[in-house]
Amino acid sequence: MGVTIDSRGIVITPGSGLTINGVASVSGLLTATSGTIGAQIALSANTVLTTGGVYTLSSSSAAIKATLPAASTVPGALFIFRAASAHAHQITGSNVAVAGTKTICDVTGSGTRLALPATVNTSVALLCDGVNFLVHGQSGSFVISTPSA
């Protein structure tokens, strides 16, 4: 069991490791030497996301659509998606219905929808700059488009 600090900064459980209940801020350098930043979150149905994280997309019957939150609400957030089933999963911006908007950007262009190929273990990492979601890295190919409404 690790040390647990509550939202007032009071140690409520002694131990090794660290758990913080509430918002934490770091002044200076924070280094992680091993482990994961967050648990993988399995998505098996269409989902509207509210926070960054590591998401696995898996369905036995059809592609999943993950809708990103408004970029202005999650600046600095990292969203990582990995296909765990062979479907053309889609990641869309929350403003997909607003004409002329571009939400997802990479070096080749921008659009409101990113489609992964129907291949297991393809992945993409998106970093939010407060205005757009920028492709930060990828494994496999994908297509960014803006479908007509």
Side-chain angles (χ1 to χ4, degrees):
M1 180 68 133
V3 173
T4 301
I5 301 172
D6 71 10
S7 60
R8 299 168 295 161
I10 298 172
V11 174
I12 56 176
T13 308
S16 62
L18 178 64
T19 300
I20 300 172
N21 296 332
V23 177
S25 97
V26 175
S27 176
L29 179 65
L30 176 64
T31 303
T33 57
S34 66
T36 60
I37 292 175
Q40 290 188 25
I41 302 163
L43 301 181
S44 58
N46 293 346
T47 304
V48 176
L49 304 173
T50 57
T51 61
V54 179
Y55 298 94
T56 56
L57 307 167
S58 181
S59 170
S60 61
S61 60
I64 295 168
K65 181 171 80 173
T67 303
L68 296 163
S72 61
T73 65
V74 290
L78 183 61
F79 293 79
I80 300 172
F81 298 94
R82 182 178 64 82
S85 64
H87 296 93
H89 302 295
Q90 297 181 10
I91 301 156
T92 64
S94 60
N95 60 352
V96 72
V98 180
T101 60
K102 308 293 186 199
T103 303
I104 302 168
C105 307
D106 74 353
V107 295
T108 63
S110 61
T112 56
R113 178 180 298 158
L114 185 148
L116 293 171
T119 306
V120 174
N121 290 329
T122 55
S123 62
V124 65
L126 303 174
L127 180 63
C128 180
D129 68 359
V131 177
N132 295 297
F133 293 89
L134 310 174
V135 175
H136 192 60
Q138 72 191 60
S139 169
S141 62
F142 59 82
V143 175
I144 297 176
S145 64
T146 301
S148 55

